[in-house]
Amino acid sequence: MTTSRGSAAGDDADGEARIRPVDRADLLGVFRIEKAVFTQPWPYAAFEGLLDAPGFLVAEGEPGGDGRPDAGGNAIDEAIDAGDVVGYVVGDVTPNHGQDIGHIKDLAVRPDAQGRGLGRRLLRASLSELAAAGASVVKLEVRESNHRAQDLYDDEGFRPGRRIPRYYGDGEAAFVMRLDLGEWVRERNAGES
């Protein structure tokens, strides 16, 4: 598993998108996706404050990525140019008495690039980076109504923990989900053997 900051794990040469660490020049693209995907988007400054987070990765469009259909066979509305940010994930690590905790804080894919597995690739790449940074467990919060995201996280091994009422600004509850990162890494490595 590759976990250098130069080439993120989960990056493959499928011609659709390259996953790499974020840089300052990506932040406007990240922020545009945030506003397009979420009804209560993070402020731009929040992303600036996390630039050095080990699991803050972007997916950028590759040449030849234009006009590919989504998973349902529908044409993509907007062309994706090489270098365009088409998705991102924000993950960081907090020291915790010898058992560092990773936290997936945000994950989004541009609406016209959804349904092609890019969210899963971003999540996996970020989890690999968090493991390399020393996290032993990873947590995240997900909207109670976001069944699509819950299914993705469940497929990757996250397990539901507690429900937090009125977690989001609009009053919606969140589920806290947790992943044993050591177990996830062992399963991924066993699957690659």
Side-chain angles (χ1 to χ4, degrees):
M1 144 176 56
T2 303
T3 55
S4 72
R5 292 293 291 163
S7 176
D11 192 12
D12 58 29
D14 64 5
E16 290 185 24
R18 183 174 78 93
I19 297 175
R20 61 171 175 75
V22 69
D23 62 43
R24 185 168 294 281
D26 298 320
L27 291 182
L28 185 56
V30 167
F31 186 60
R32 285 181 178 145
I33 294 169
E34 178 79 3
K35 290 191 322 184
V37 171
F38 298 111
T39 57
Q40 295 179 313
W42 282 15
Y44 184 89
F47 294 106
E48 279 185 311
L50 290 163
L51 270 172
D52 293 329
F56 191 172
L57 309 172
V58 296
E60 68 177 14
E62 289 288 334
D66 299 313
R68 292 178 189 267
D70 65 14
N74 302 315
I76 294 173
D77 297 332
E78 298 178 36
I80 297 173
D81 295 324
D84 281 357
V85 175
V86 295
Y88 62 90
V89 59
V90 181
D92 70 359
V93 177
T94 303
N96 185 41
H97 308 291
Q99 190 176 38
D100 295 350
I101 299 172
H103 189 187
I104 298 294
K105 295 175 172 282
D106 201 356
L107 171 65
V109 174
R110 205 167 94 170
D112 63 339
Q114 292 178 2
R116 298 185 291 166
L118 188 53
R120 182 178 304 276
R121 287 181 55 216
L122 281 161
L123 177 63
R124 287 178 175 173
S126 187
L127 291 173
S128 293
E129 294 294 337
L130 296 177
S136 57
V137 297
V138 177
K139 69 172 187 166
L140 57 79
E141 299 80 25
V142 60
R143 283 183 177 270
E144 187 173 42
S145 64
N146 192 344
H147 301 291
R148 185 175 180 187
Q150 290 172 33
D151 288 346
L152 167 63
Y153 301 140
D154 184 64
D155 285 350
E156 287 302 314
F158 282 87
R159 296 297 167 244
R162 69 186 194 280
R163 179 182 179 272
I164 305 173
R166 298 176 301 284
Y167 180 82
Y168 294 99
D170 61 2
E172 186 172 355
F175 289 119
V176 177
M177 299 184 80
R178 183 180 180 279
L179 173 74
D180 179 317
L181 198 50
E183 184 178 310
W184 181 84
V185 168
R186 283 188 296 280
E187 287 176 11
R188 296 270 301 161
N189 288 341
E192 293 174 3
S193 299

